[in-house]
Amino acid sequence: MSGADRILILGGTGEGIALASALTSLPGRRVISSLAGRVANPKLPPGEVRIGGFGGVEGLAAYLRENKIRAVIDATHPFARRMGWNAAAASQTTNTPLLRFERPAWMPQPGDHWIDVADWDEAVNVLRGKARRVFLALGRQELAPFTALKDIAFVIRAVDAPDADLAFADAEIVLARGPFKLADERVLLQSRGIDHLVCKNSGGDATDAKLQAARELGVTVIMQRRPPRPDVPKVSDVQAAVDWVRSL
Ligand SMILES: NC(=O)c1ccc[n+]([C@@H]2O[C@H](COP(=O)([O-])OP(=O)(O)OC[C@H]3O[C@@H](n4cnc5c(N)ncnc54)[C@H](OP(=O)(O)O)[C@@H]3O)[C@@H](O)[C@H]2O)c1
């Protein structure tokens, strides 16, 4: 292998793919994208890809040293609660520059009816006794708290099929991967008579059509706010991240 600077992208997001595409064309850089391995058939970024956890902060620090990583870009999902903290700690112990690449959060628009929640237990309490037909647009590993709501008919959208043992009283599963179009989101919400939509404040334009459809149809949105992140340099567009790599 050449002596190119190795840039590690912590991915699993559309941003991670966009960034890998942009950086693979930079001369003198070799891009390695890292995925957690949660999705059965992940969309793969261009360039080199490694899959699976590192083994905590120590595992990541060892990986950075052994592979002589020049810099790390944390492009994990805003709701990936652990990885950003691990990256910050490993970058500090190995003295490896770290950049956070994060899409801006969605903000409510005129006509929106959003209820902010910290977690899904709070969302369950908001829905109880109030909602009848609820669209859950969240990860398949996050569904369990909602099974407590036996009087609600759920429509669940996920990339991979949820665990068949989940004890929902009434649930329709829609398997799909974004991006989603406004016209389709409208049809989905309208045809199922949805009154509440539950989602995370992921940001970005691949999955925001559901919010516009909810606005138009007067559907209440239960929005989980983002978890805290470590205080590291941050950018929100590909060009700024490319400029940062160039400046190393
Ligand atoms: N959470 C979401 O809502 C969401 C949505 C869309 C995509 N994703 C993507 O799915 C992945 C996992 O999400 P999560 O919520 O489980 O994250 P997390 O809570 O931050 O991470 C849990 C553990 O998974 C491993 N991991 C996470 N991201 C990794 C990566 N890019 N490469 C290698 N290992 C990784 C790490 O294991 P070790 O400690 O063993 O290194 C980490 O400690 C992330 O890459 C994220 O970008 C998450």
Side-chain angles (χ1 to χ4, degrees):
M1 199 61 220
S2 72
D5 275 352
R6 292 169 191 197
I7 311 295
L8 177 69
I9 299 174
L10 303 170
T13 53
E15 283 79 2
I17 293 176
L19 197 51
S21 308
L23 290 177
T24 43
S25 59
L26 269 193
R29 310 304 197 283
R30 178 178 154 200
V31 177
I32 307 169
S33 293
S34 174
L35 308 179
R38 298 279 191 283
V39 176
N41 283 305
K43 204 170 159 196
L44 292 177
E48 201 173 314
V49 178
R50 67 162 299 286
I51 297 182
F54 296 94
V57 175
E58 282 176 20
L60 178 57
Y63 179 91
L64 298 180
R65 283 196 198 97
E66 280 160 22
N67 292 279
K68 300 189 171 46
I69 299 296
R70 175 72 181 86
V72 180
I73 302 181
D74 169 18
T76 55
H77 192 270
F79 282 83
R81 291 171 186 270
R82 192 63 252 148
M83 199 65 226
W85 294 94
N86 289 2
S91 121
Q92 201 165 28
T93 56
T94 60
N95 210 13
T96 310
L98 169 67
L99 182 72
R100 168 71 181 148
F101 180 33
E102 182 172 278
R103 54 185 110 155
W106 291 318
M107 302 295 285
Q109 308 291 314
D112 277 333
H113 182 217
W114 287 12
I115 300 173
D116 245 35
V117 294
D119 54 38
W120 297 141
D121 289 335
E122 196 180 335
V124 165
N125 286 332
V126 172
L127 292 170
R128 185 174 277 121
K130 204 190 297 172
R132 298 172 63 87
R133 304 190 63 82
V134 175
F135 177 33
L136 298 180
L138 33 115
R140 70 192 165 110
Q141 280 124 344
E142 306 169 59
L143 298 166
F146 296 93
T147 60
L149 298 170
K150 300 296 183 200
D151 297 335
I152 292 180
F154 288 99
V155 175
I156 299 168
R157 181 164 68 196
V159 176
D160 294 318
D163 191 343
D165 294 343
L166 283 170
F168 279 103
D170 184 349
E172 176 194 355
I173 311 295
V174 178
L175 293 183
R177 191 197 300 255
F180 301 104
K181 295 198 182 93
L182 175 59
D184 297 335
E185 298 293 57
R186 236 185 242 133
V187 169
L188 184 69
L189 296 185
Q190 227 163 3
S191 62
R192 273 64 167 200
I194 297 297
D195 50 56
H196 287 70
L197 154 66
V198 182
C199 65
K200 298 182 286 194
N201 197 332
S202 300
D205 53 16
T207 56
D208 68 345
K210 61 179 180 276
L211 301 176
Q212 200 176 328
R215 187 178 311 134
E216 289 176 12
L217 299 168
V219 169
T220 300
V221 176
I222 313 292
M223 181 71 81
Q224 188 182 141
R225 55 182 166 269
R226 293 180 171 190
R229 283 260 163 192
D231 187 16
V232 301
K234 197 188 287 186
V235 297
S236 58
D237 67 273
V238 172
Q239 191 51 50
V242 170
D243 291 346
W244 181 80
V245 170
R246 275 212 179 95
S247 75
L248 289 168

